[in-house]
């Protein structure tokens, strides 16, 4: 009957990780461009555990990001940029390249346009830097500095490999809720991007949805704990019965 205890602990562990996912989403509800995630399935096979993004004691959990666009909010800040429609900014962190819709940029001491993590926004020619006082970003990504074009911000989207619903969006590797690495299918440049200077994309976290998920996760964890309790009671009764015979 040890499999009963193993299954019970898997249920409790999965419930705990679902709670952690919802708590993380709620904590990032005010993070611009944040994409909420949830555990959509789990597997107990060794290969799945080795390949999982997050691992419980006995089960590999599979996470799915909700890539739906959040609301666009006007800020008036010239370094705030939102993408209207599909696509992501390309940013450089050290020697690595990442993709994000988090558009609350700022100016580094070196004059580079950087995001909250310090990653440098990329133009078609590499790191984007400015030195003028007036910055204007056109909807197609053209960057004007003191009314003079100096660069263009490309926007990228995953290549749709057609193998599953959502295509390449489902193959992005999440570094955090707002930062992603390219998936196996690769990335392509968006032909007609639409950028909105002075706007930010809000997170797509739904407080109501997360509360429902948290309640469901709590019930799962309680069910697992109850199963362990029942097992302990049955074992106690069995031992008592055999001891009297």
């Amino acid at each position: 009957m040890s499999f009963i205890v193993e299954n019970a602990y898997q249920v409790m562990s999965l419930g705990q990780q679902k709670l952690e996912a919802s708590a993380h989403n709620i904590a990032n509800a005010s993070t611009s461009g944040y994409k909420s995630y949830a555990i959509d399935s789990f597997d107990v096979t060794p290969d799945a555990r080795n390949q999982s993004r997050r691992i419980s004691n006995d089960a590999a959990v599979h996470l799915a990001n909700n890539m739906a666009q959040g609301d666009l909010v006007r800020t008036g800040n010239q370094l705030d940029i939102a993408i209207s429609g599909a696509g992501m900014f390309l940013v450089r962190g050290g020697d690595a390249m990442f993709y994000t819709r988090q558009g609350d940029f700022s100016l580094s001491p070196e004059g580079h346009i950087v995001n909250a993590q310090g990653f440098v926004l990329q133009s078609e020619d590499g790191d984007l830097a400015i030195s003028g006082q007036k910055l204007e970003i056109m909807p197609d990504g053209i960057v004007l500095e003191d009314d003079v074009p100096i660069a263009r911000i490309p926007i990228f989207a995953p290549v749709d490999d057609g193998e599953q619903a959502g295509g390449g969006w489902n193959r992005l590797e999440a570094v955090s809720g707002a930062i992603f690495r390219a998936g196996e299918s690769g990335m392509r440049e968006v032909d007609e991007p639409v950028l909105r200077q002075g706007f930010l994309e809000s997170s797509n976290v739904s407080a109501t949805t997360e509360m429902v998920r948290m309640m469901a996760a709590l019930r799962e964890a309680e069910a697992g704990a109850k199963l362990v309790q029942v097992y302990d009671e049955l074992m106690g009764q069995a031992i008592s019965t055999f001891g009297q015979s």
Side-chain angles (χ1 to χ4, degrees), residues 7-17 220-225 228:
N7 289 340
Y9 278 117
Q10 287 176 9
V11 170
M12 286 190 293
S13 178
L14 185 60
Q16 178 182 353
Q17 293 194 50
E220 287 183 11
E222 290 171 354
V228 172

Side-chain angles (χ1 to χ4, degrees), residues 8-90:
Y9 278 117
Q10 287 176 9
V11 170
M12 286 190 293
S13 178
L14 185 60
Q16 178 182 353
Q17 293 194 50
K18 286 182 177 180
L19 281 171
E20 291 174 356
S22 289
H24 188 72
N25 288 339
I26 292 174
N28 284 277
S30 61
T31 300
S32 68
Y34 177 84
K35 300 304 175 187
S36 62
Y37 68 90
I39 296 171
D40 65 347
S41 63
F42 74 101
D43 198 337
V44 296
T45 62
D47 287 344
R49 290 201 298 270
N50 292 336
Q51 298 171 8
S52 170
R53 280 168 51 192
R54 297 181 70 201
I55 301 175
S56 67
N57 291 335
D58 296 296
V61 296
H62 304 277
L63 306 182
N65 281 91
N66 174 12
M67 300 304 295
Q69 179 173 312
D71 295 333
L72 301 189
V73 179
R74 181 188 293 275
T75 66
N77 188 334
Q78 68 173 359
L79 289 179
D80 286 344
I81 314 169
I83 301 171
S84 180
M88 290 181 158
F89 301 107
L90 176 63

Side-chain angles (χ1 to χ4, degrees), residues 225-243:
K226 181 64 175 178
L227 188 57
V228 172
Q229 180 183 351
V230 171
Y231 174 81
D232 287 342
E233 291 175 354
L234 290 175
M235 289 300 296
Q237 292 175 8
I239 291 172
S240 177
T241 300
F242 284 122

Side-chain angles (χ1 to χ4, degrees), residues 4 10 49 66 77 86 90 95 114 116-117 128 139 143 148 165 191:
I4 296 178
Q10 287 176 9
R49 290 201 298 270
N66 174 12
N77 188 334
L90 176 63
D95 295 329
V114 298
Q117 291 78 19
L128 182 55
V143 180
V148 177
D191 293 331

Side-chain angles (χ1 to χ4, degrees), residues 45-153:
T45 62
D47 287 344
R49 290 201 298 270
N50 292 336
Q51 298 171 8
S52 170
R53 280 168 51 192
R54 297 181 70 201
I55 301 175
S56 67
N57 291 335
D58 296 296
V61 296
H62 304 277
L63 306 182
N65 281 91
N66 174 12
M67 300 304 295
Q69 179 173 312
D71 295 333
L72 301 189
V73 179
R74 181 188 293 275
T75 66
N77 188 334
Q78 68 173 359
L79 289 179
D80 286 344
I81 314 169
I83 301 171
S84 180
M88 290 181 158
F89 301 107
L90 176 63
V91 294
R92 180 183 62 80
D95 295 329
M97 293 294 182
F98 303 95
Y99 297 88
T100 184
R101 289 180 67 93
Q102 186 176 10
D104 49 342
F105 296 103
S106 60
L107 197 62
S108 74
E110 298 78 22
H112 291 126
I113 297 180
V114 298
N115 68 357
Q117 291 78 19
F119 298 168
V120 183
L121 178 62
Q122 298 295 290
S123 71
E124 291 180 327
D125 301 317
D127 294 352
L128 182 55
I130 60 173
S131 57
Q133 297 297 316
K134 181 182 177 184
L135 178 69
E136 186 174 2
I137 299 171
M138 308 302 291
D140 62 358
I142 296 295
V143 180
L144 304 178
E145 185 179 71
D146 296 332
D147 298 322
V148 177
I150 62 166
R152 179 177 175 273
I153 302 172

